[in-house]
Amino acid sequence: MKARLERLTQGASPLPLLLLGLLYFFDEFDTAAFGVLAPNIKKSFGMSDSTYTTVVLLNLSIVLVLGVAAGYLGDRGPRRTLAIVCGIIAGICSLATGFVGTILLLFVVRVANGIGNLSNTTFQQSLLSDYYGPEARSSVFAVYLATPSIGTIAGGVVAGTLASAFGWRAPFYVFIVPIVIVALLCLKLREPLRGEADDAQSAQEVRDERAPSLPEALRTLWSVRTLRRQYITYAFHGAGFLPLAIALPLFYERIYHLGEAGRGVLTSADAAAALVGTLVVGPRLRKWIQTDLGKPLRWVGRMNFTVGL
């Protein structure tokens, strides 16, 4: 296994990919559980559809805004330490989800859990870009971005099974253990210099330079036409996906009368399809990038038509 991972990482240590991937994997256990058990949670707290939707949307909106702050902090602080702290916060708040007794406390712990999970899309991905060179990144990120799908597959089944046997709070008592263990194991990782995998000498020379301000960073990013188009696209993408993500567990229960186990299986099947897509694309990505940097994005555009249908 180690030899295979080292081939995938082009000879670099696979430990960062393994530990950060596991952290992402176990974080998705909690996310999958909350989705699968949404009808149970809604009934337990006596929430109407509108109240439940408002709680989830406010949670997502706050975490979305704080994601910008997390990125800003990651440009200035020790990303490895931030990733570890966020992992522990996510685990503690996952446990707290099983204990809270009011809607307000539920909202608070879910927002805090979302803040902990921000590490997966900010600090961790930034770290991977500095642990691994350009020749290995397509493979590294294909594996890393497959881990949440695997986590959802496992989390959906585990959450549905535990909840059907012991009640909806039971899964949240369990998930803290692997999350915190993996977060503490990340102490074995070193803090890389920003940009060292691309040019170690230049990274060393500029290590003490001032990071760009938020307005400067926004202007730089917005000036890249490809990024600008992606940002605009994501606004429409999110507008379609977020309501579905909230409504789908309720839809499974109300229209198809599925219990916890049935919803868990469907959630896992959905994630399995995403995993297959990631595994199919991963080996092709490096070849696409070598021939035409725009090719992967054009495939994204084509596939979004299929998603819409």
Side-chain angles (χ1 to χ4, degrees), residues 225-238:
R225 188 175 65 172
T226 303
L227 285 176
R228 186 167 65 247
R229 289 186 176 187
Q230 287 185 75
Y231 294 151
I232 294 169
T233 302
Y234 289 157
F236 293 95
H237 201 260

Side-chain angles (χ1 to χ4, degrees), residues 9 20-21 38-39 43 49 62 95 108 124 132 134 139 150 176 178 198 219 269 274 283 286 293:
T9 58
L20 295 177
K43 289 175 183 175
D49 286 353
I62 291 170
L95 175 66
V108 169
Q124 290 185 32
Y132 302 105
S139 299
I150 301 172
I176 183 175
D198 293 281
R219 282 195 299 271
R286 188 185 305 168
L293 282 173

Side-chain angles (χ1 to χ4, degrees), residues 88-105:
I88 293 172
I89 289 172
I92 291 172
C93 292
S94 177
L95 175 66
T97 301
F99 283 109
V100 295
T102 68
I103 295 175
L104 177 60
L105 286 176

Side-chain angles (χ1 to χ4, degrees), residues 15-30:
L15 187 63
L17 173 60
L18 182 63
L19 289 179
L20 295 177
L22 281 172
L23 198 56
Y24 203 175
F25 169 83
F26 287 119
D27 281 344
E28 287 304 302
F29 261 54
D30 172 271

Side-chain angles (χ1 to χ4, degrees), residues 15-252:
L15 187 63
L17 173 60
L18 182 63
L19 289 179
L20 295 177
L22 281 172
L23 198 56
Y24 203 175
F25 169 83
F26 287 119
D27 281 344
E28 287 304 302
F29 261 54
D30 172 271
T31 304
F34 195 82
V36 167
L37 302 175
N40 306 70
I41 295 169
K42 178 173 164 288
K43 289 175 183 175
S44 177
F45 287 90
M47 289 186 276
S48 64
D49 286 353
S50 60
T51 302
Y52 173 77
T53 302
T54 300
V55 167
V56 176
L57 282 177
L58 280 174
N59 181 358
L60 292 172
S61 300
I62 291 170
V63 171
L64 178 65
V65 171
L66 291 175
V68 178
Y72 182 84
L73 182 62
D75 281 340
R76 290 156 177 77
R79 293 166 295 170
R80 186 209 64 158
T81 303
L82 289 168
I84 293 169
V85 170
C86 283
I88 293 172
I89 289 172
I92 291 172
C93 292
S94 177
L95 175 66
T97 301
F99 283 109
V100 295
T102 68
I103 295 175
L104 177 60
L105 286 176
L106 178 69
F107 174 72
V108 169
V109 298
R110 294 316 297 175
V111 169
N113 177 265
I115 293 170
N117 288 340
L118 282 174
S119 169
N120 302 323
T121 52
T122 51
F123 315 131
Q124 290 185 32
Q125 295 194 25
S126 174
L127 283 168
L128 288 173
S129 294
D130 288 331
Y131 284 128
Y132 302 105
E135 69 283 352
R137 280 185 199 143
S138 58
S139 299
V140 165
F141 275 96
V143 172
Y144 177 75
L145 295 174
T147 56
S149 295
I150 301 172
T152 302
I153 294 169
V157 172
V158 170
T161 303
L162 285 176
S164 62
F166 304 108
W168 73 264
R169 296 179 185 270
F172 298 102
Y173 300 149
V174 174
F175 294 158
I176 183 175
V177 178
I179 293 174
V180 172
I181 288 175
V182 175
L184 293 176
L185 285 173
C186 287
L187 289 168
K188 293 178 175 289
L189 302 178
R190 64 182 181 86
E191 177 70 37
L193 292 176
R194 290 168 176 81
E196 72 170 50
D198 293 281
D199 188 335
Q201 183 177 345
S202 297
Q204 184 68 38
E205 291 172 357
V206 302
R207 63 179 302 174
D208 296 323
E209 286 191 5
R210 180 185 67 86
S213 67
L214 184 59
E216 288 171 340
L218 291 175
R219 282 195 299 271
T220 300
L221 293 170
W222 193 253
S223 68
V224 180
R225 188 175 65 172
T226 303
L227 285 176
R228 186 167 65 247
R229 289 186 176 187
Q230 287 185 75
Y231 294 151
I232 294 169
T233 302
Y234 289 157
F236 293 95
H237 201 260
F241 267 89
L242 289 182
L244 283 176
I246 296 168
L248 205 55
L250 305 180
F251 179 79
Y252 287 157

